[in-house]
Amino acid sequence: MFLIGKQPVINRSGRETPPLRVSSLRVAYPGGPTLLEDVSFIVEAGEIMGILGPSGCGKSTLLRHLVGLETATSGTIELFGENLWSGQGAELNHHRRKFGIMYQGGALFGNLSLIENVALPLKEFTKLKPGAIETAARLKLALVGLSGFEYSMPDSLSGGMRKRAAIARALALEPGLLFLDEPSAGLDPVTSAGLDQLIVTLARNLSLAFVMVTHELNSIMATLDRAILLDKEKRGIVAEGTPDYLAHQSPAQEAAAFFRRGSRGGILATQKLDTN
Amino acid sequence: MAVQVPKTLVVTSSEAGRYSLSGVLTAQVPGQVFDPLLKLKSRQPIAIDLSGLSAMDLNGAALLIWLQSTLEKSGRSVTFAALPESFEPIWELAKKTLGPPTPKPAELGFFEGVGQSVIDFFQDLGALIVFLGEILAALAGVIFKPWKIRWSMTMLTVERAVVNALAVTALVSFLVGLILAFQSAMFMKLFGVDIFVADLVGLSLIRELGTLLTAIVLTGRSGSAFSAELGSMKINQEIDAFLTMGLSPAADLALPRVLALTLATPLLTILADFAGLIGGNIVMITLGHPVVAFWIELSSHLDTSDVATGLFKSFIFGFVVAVVGCQRGLAAGGGPGAVGEATTKGVVTNIVLLAFLDSLFAVLFYVLNW
């Protein structure tokens, strides 16, 4: 636990409280199908954890529940030891301020410049003077490599830059936990690798915990410490472990299918060519 | 023995120029905590001892950098000392990362702003005239080949823009007729000429108000919808797709809308006129005049030219509302606010143009003695 900036949150047993603990989460539409069943996992401080799975397996649904946009049918979500759904309104908002989130498209406010986007949470939720807020916002943008673009408008930037700016905004209040929804989606390999590098740097230097929804293999291998794999048929976690373990040693068939889809597709394609 | 650690940031001073920060240095520090330092009158160097910090994050580091640069701007030197070792990496990261501030882009001055607005105005007007040309050219291309007109889309637009607007137009016009009759009748009754309320309501509705009201309802309901539809097509690159297929947005997207509104607005205007007259008639009935008196009085003063001018204007207004709505949509810029901006611009341009054209027609018809 080196390089820690904030005081570690210590619970009574003396161990650090994990930033996120999900216990037997069940998601079902009223009178409809069950989407997720018995989803439980823990994310430790400084850990980059992935939520993997093929399209339609409930990754995004799980994320929407984790950030408190939707309520689960049963089960609990604990943020730094406190139940996310312990209250409504102001109390829920208080819990929500404990994490940051980067949405798939960045979701920057289009009528604000980058620095205004990053400064917005600081303006709303701190009592700092304007100059101090500006310095803090500038630091966050510099951290994601966007020095010099402070006064640019989001729509004048490339997709990768928008995603990095969105991370800067999620980092504004320096929460201990960041959710990233498909950080590599729609990016070219070079930009995507740069973003992966940034995520690892932030996790190691600031001991931030990351929860990433993704299905980009390169990004999974480059960033994740640990991952859970969801499956549509089994409606929940089918495998858990390091990316290496999931790719090569996991007994779960779904893991093998998920990680080796690239090469298998390749072989099939070659065979088809041969027969032609 | 446990050491008392303050939960918030405390700034203390042991002697002049020597300060120490203790507690938690994050974005959540109290707003005025640095005031003793910032309000210092003396110019002597300041030494800040950081050994009492129990927590610090990047925002805290940013605060220290801000404090240092603010104090140094007023000519004092600032030194930090004894930062706890565990915060060293964050402090180094912050110092290494944060470059010099980017200069703010210059904002337009008053005169430049006025100049820019004038340029924008004429550019907008130019674009509108060019588009008008495109529409007329497209119209000329199909006018003798009516089978080339996209009738299905035209009829769909008639239904959505005009048929679905019947109720709201009739209601607005009915109420205006009612109010007009009521307000004028109160006064004219004093002179015993309240029968002329029929002429007042009838003439003003048929020559002016019915036409104008219908056009304004269409602007708000359909012109804005055209701007929004075509604007979102523009920002979704659908217009680009149209162009690269060799199709013309003016001929294939705008012309059916323009035709629909131009042809159907007079019909809507006739309905609005009737609804307004019924409103006026109801007031007359309450004043004790029989129903038939209203219509006889009106028909004795109402001329064919009154009806003709009203309907002629409604043709033009329908055309203008559709052309402006479509042009603003197709001219939508990039960015998230583009559709909203295009819609606003379309509605504003339309309302200004309608008022302007209506006054122009008033003068024209007076001169022509219509």
Side-chain angles (χ1 to χ4, degrees), chain B:
Chain B
M1 209 186 88
V3 182
Q4 192 71 31
V5 181
K7 283 236 164 79
T8 175
L9 189 73
V10 181
V11 180
T12 48
S13 173
S14 47
E15 54 184 286
R18 300 194 74 82
Y19 290 84
S20 67
L21 303 187
S22 51
V24 180
L25 184 59
T26 66
Q28 300 304 335
V29 299
Q32 314 302 324
V33 70
F34 295 117
D35 278 2
L37 278 161
L38 295 172
K39 287 183 181 160
L40 269 183
K41 291 276 188 313
S42 81
R43 301 256 160 212
Q44 73 179 115
I46 298 170
I48 301 176
D49 176 61
L50 302 172
S51 61
L53 290 183
S54 57
M56 180 174 108
D57 60 7
L58 273 175
N59 280 329
L63 276 177
L64 287 184
I65 293 172
W66 164 73
L67 190 66
Q68 188 173 25
S69 70
T70 313
L71 290 172
E72 281 176 355
K73 249 181 240 162
S74 55
R76 279 162 289 207
S77 79
V78 180
T79 47
F80 295 115
L83 180 73
E85 205 178 323
S86 55
F87 306 141
E88 209 51 72
I90 284 180
W91 177 233
E92 290 303 324
L93 179 69
K95 277 199 300 189
K96 190 181 75 188
T97 315
L98 195 66
T102 314
K104 255 190 190 177
E107 280 175 23
L108 289 183
F110 175 73
F111 291 105
E112 286 166 309
V114 171
Q116 191 59 51
S117 318
V118 172
I119 292 172
D120 288 348
F121 173 77
F122 281 106
Q123 274 176 350
D124 278 359
L125 193 69
L128 197 59
I129 291 169
V130 169
F131 186 73
L132 186 68
E134 284 178 38
I135 286 287
L136 291 177
L139 194 63
V142 295
I143 200 140
F144 297 113
K145 302 173 196 158
W147 62 90
K148 280 201 163 182
I149 296 173
R150 294 170 174 262
W151 286 113
S152 60
M153 195 176 165
T154 309
M155 287 304 144
L156 185 72
T157 312
V158 169
E159 185 190 331
R160 284 199 306 198
V162 182
V163 179
N164 294 347
L166 289 178
V168 64
T169 316
L171 178 73
V172 170
S173 194
F174 170 79
L175 290 176
V176 168
L178 198 86
I179 294 160
L180 198 63
F182 182 72
Q183 294 291 357
S184 50
M186 290 295 100
F187 191 69
M188 284 160 91
K189 205 172 161 58
L190 293 177
F191 300 93
V193 291
D194 43 334
I195 185 67
F196 291 118
V197 168
D199 304 310
L200 190 146
V201 172
L203 280 175
S204 46
L205 272 173
I206 288 168
R207 283 194 76 103
E208 294 287 341
L209 285 178
T211 316
L212 206 55
L213 274 175
T214 311
I216 288 173
V217 168
L218 281 179
T219 300
R221 239 187 129 267
S222 312
S224 60
F226 294 169
S227 301
E229 279 169 13
L230 297 180
S232 44
M233 284 181 81
K234 175 80 186 283
I235 64 167
N236 287 333
Q237 295 187 310
E238 287 172 53
I239 301 294
D240 293 349
F242 234 81
L243 283 169
T244 47
M245 275 183 205
L247 296 167
S248 148
D252 296 301
L253 290 173
L255 190 62
R257 291 174 164 84
V258 173
L259 277 179
L261 235 57
T262 312
L263 298 178
T265 305
L267 303 178
L268 198 61
T269 305
I270 294 173
L271 174 86
D273 289 347
F274 265 110
L277 291 178
I278 290 168
N281 200 345
I282 287 175
V283 173
M284 293 290 282
I285 293 167
T286 60
L287 292 176
H289 297 283
V291 176
V292 72
F294 180 90
W295 298 102
I296 290 176
E297 174 60 31
L298 182 62
S299 60
S300 66
H301 284 94
L302 194 69
D303 206 8
T304 327
S305 70
D306 299 322
V307 181
T309 50
L311 290 184
F312 174 72
K313 280 199 294 186
S314 74
F315 258 112
I316 305 290
F317 287 176
F319 180 78
V320 167
V321 167
V323 167
V324 172
C326 291
Q327 192 271 331
R328 290 305 187 218
L330 288 173
V339 176
E341 204 179 307
T343 312
T344 311
K345 263 186 165 181
V347 170
V348 171
T349 313
N350 256 329
I351 288 177
V352 172
L353 260 182
L354 289 176
F356 177 73
L357 284 176
D358 199 43
S359 11
L360 201 70
F361 279 129
V363 176
L364 186 72
F365 294 151
Y366 176 77
V367 173
L368 294 173
N369 202 15
W370 280 2

Side-chain angles (χ1 to χ4, degrees), chain A residues 5-186:
Chain A
K6 291 176 198 290
Q7 255 181 317
V9 188
I10 308 288
N11 66 11
R12 285 207 186 108
S13 67
R15 288 184 51 204
E16 212 176 294
T17 313
L20 179 69
R21 184 203 297 272
V22 179
S23 323
S24 16
L25 197 73
R26 179 166 178 274
V27 177
Y29 288 126
T34 305
L35 297 176
L36 294 169
E37 202 137 32
D38 197 26
V39 173
S40 305
F41 61 92
I42 292 176
V43 182
E44 304 284 355
E47 188 179 33
I48 307 178
M49 149 98 187
I51 300 176
L52 314 181
S55 301
C57 69
K59 297 188 298 266
S60 299
T61 312
L62 178 58
L63 187 70
R64 286 180 66 77
H65 284 82
L66 296 182
V67 299
L69 287 173
E70 276 167 45
T71 32
T73 316
S74 64
T76 54
I77 297 165
E78 281 174 63
L79 291 168
F80 300 96
E82 285 182 282
N83 187 355
L84 173 64
W85 288 104
S86 60
Q88 291 285 330
E91 200 177 336
L92 178 60
N93 282 336
H94 164 73
H95 290 316
R96 281 179 176 155
R97 253 168 259 151
K98 287 191 259 178
F99 59 81
I101 177 163
M102 186 206 84
Y103 292 95
Q104 222 182 94
L108 296 171
F109 302 119
N111 54 343
L112 301 179
S113 64
L114 289 197
I115 195 160
E116 287 168 328
N117 260 290
V118 180
L120 184 74
L122 291 164
K123 272 187 194 150
E124 292 295 320
F125 301 119
T126 73
K127 298 189 182 85
L128 300 179
K129 305 220 156 137
I133 289 180
E134 199 229 282
T135 312
R138 226 154 41 76
L139 176 59
K140 299 296 154 60
L141 282 172
L143 205 61
V144 298
L146 286 175
S147 269
F149 293 94
E150 283 88 349
Y151 299 102
S152 305
M153 300 306 277
D155 59 347
S156 66
L157 301 178
S158 69
M161 287 161 103
R162 277 204 284 266
K163 289 198 176 190
R164 282 190 281 156
I167 294 185
R169 186 178 69 183
L171 279 172
L173 291 170
E174 282 183 55
L177 174 63
L178 249 79
F179 292 100
L180 309 178
D181 191 2
E182 306 253 2
S184 330

